[in-house]
Every structure is written in C-alpha cells, then in structure tokens.
Amino acid sequence: MHAALVGLSLHHVGIVVRDLDVAADSYRVLGFRDDERFVMPEQGIEAVTFPSGSGYLELIQPSDPEGAIARFMEKRGDSLHHVAFGTPDIVAELRRLDDSGVRLIDTLPRTGAHGWQVAFVHPESCNGVLVELVQVAQS
C-alpha cells in the first residue's frame, strides 16, 4: 500500500452471499444477533449487518444482475468482499490518501448502510484487498 492507514480502526467486514436469508441464518446459529436489513437499489444490493464487538459483520446480496456486486459474485462466488476501516473525517482521509498517490475508487464519500458515509480504496493500493473507509463519530 502506498500510504499507511494510520489511526484507523476496523469497522466491519463485508461478505458477498448468494442467499442473504440463508447466510444470515447461518451467522445467527454462530451467535450473531440484533441484525438490521437494508435494501439499497442505488448500489444494487441488499444487506444484513450484525454488530460484532465494536464493529460489524456485513452480508451483501446482489439485487442488480448487472451491478458490481453481481459481477463480483459471478467471478468469486460467496466470499470476502471488503474490509472497512473507520475514520473521523472521511473527506480529509480521502484527500490525504489521494495526495499520497493511493488509487481511489471514490474521491468523495457516498451513503452506505446505516446512513454511513463511505468511500472505497482500489484493491491495487491494498495488496489486492478492497478497502472501504467509513466515517465514524469522534470520541
């Protein structure tokens, strides 16, 4: 990676699944509770999030057969999609990363599940892993 993500904390892990209900039931059997479901047509997904410690587990099912998540699933099947890190100022973090030469997918944040402000860093800049930044409240 070109620039260290210093001071960022693990926020959530996103997993793409073919059947959201079956996957959510599997994670409930593991002990995950208090899930929330989101339909996000603008992103071509439906998602379920489970709180986990100070972060979340996010299950993502494609709803748009032509969308990016459907294309990902076609290539890789059910699998890890991204790792998300929290930052108190996503706009400043995106600017810092861009100034450091990090390849960004999003140069401005967009709205994700829970109303979170999110942006993605290209996998080429993170050893092949898609990284999401999530703006979190400052402590």
Side-chain angles (χ1 to χ4, degrees), residues 98-122:
D98 190 43
D99 289 347
S100 298
V102 172
R103 185 171 173 197
L104 302 174
I105 293 173
D106 299 304
T107 56
L108 295 171
R110 53 183 148 141
T111 302
H114 294 271
W116 296 329
Q117 290 298 292
V118 303
F120 287 89
V121 176
H122 198 282

Side-chain angles (χ1 to χ4, degrees), residues 81-84 105 120-123 126 128-132:
H81 182 256
H82 65 271
V83 177
I105 293 173
F120 287 89
V121 176
H122 198 282
C126 298
V129 175
L130 180 62
V131 168
E132 181 180 15

Side-chain angles (χ1 to χ4, degrees), residues 35-53:
D35 53 286
E36 291 186 69
R37 191 176 197 109
F38 300 89
V39 176
M40 302 172 60
E42 67 282 358
Q43 293 185 26
I45 66 163
E46 191 166 343
V48 168
T49 61
F50 290 97
S52 178

Side-chain angles (χ1 to χ4, degrees), residues 15-21 23-24 36-49 58-64 69-70 73 113:
I15 301 171
V16 172
V17 299
R18 190 166 311 281
D19 188 317
L20 194 55
D21 293 322
E36 291 186 69
R37 191 176 197 109
F38 300 89
V39 176
M40 302 172 60
E42 67 282 358
Q43 293 185 26
I45 66 163
E46 191 166 343
V48 168
T49 61
E58 180 179 63
L59 304 177
I60 308 161
Q61 177 182 306
S63 60
D64 174 2
I69 300 300
M73 173 157 285

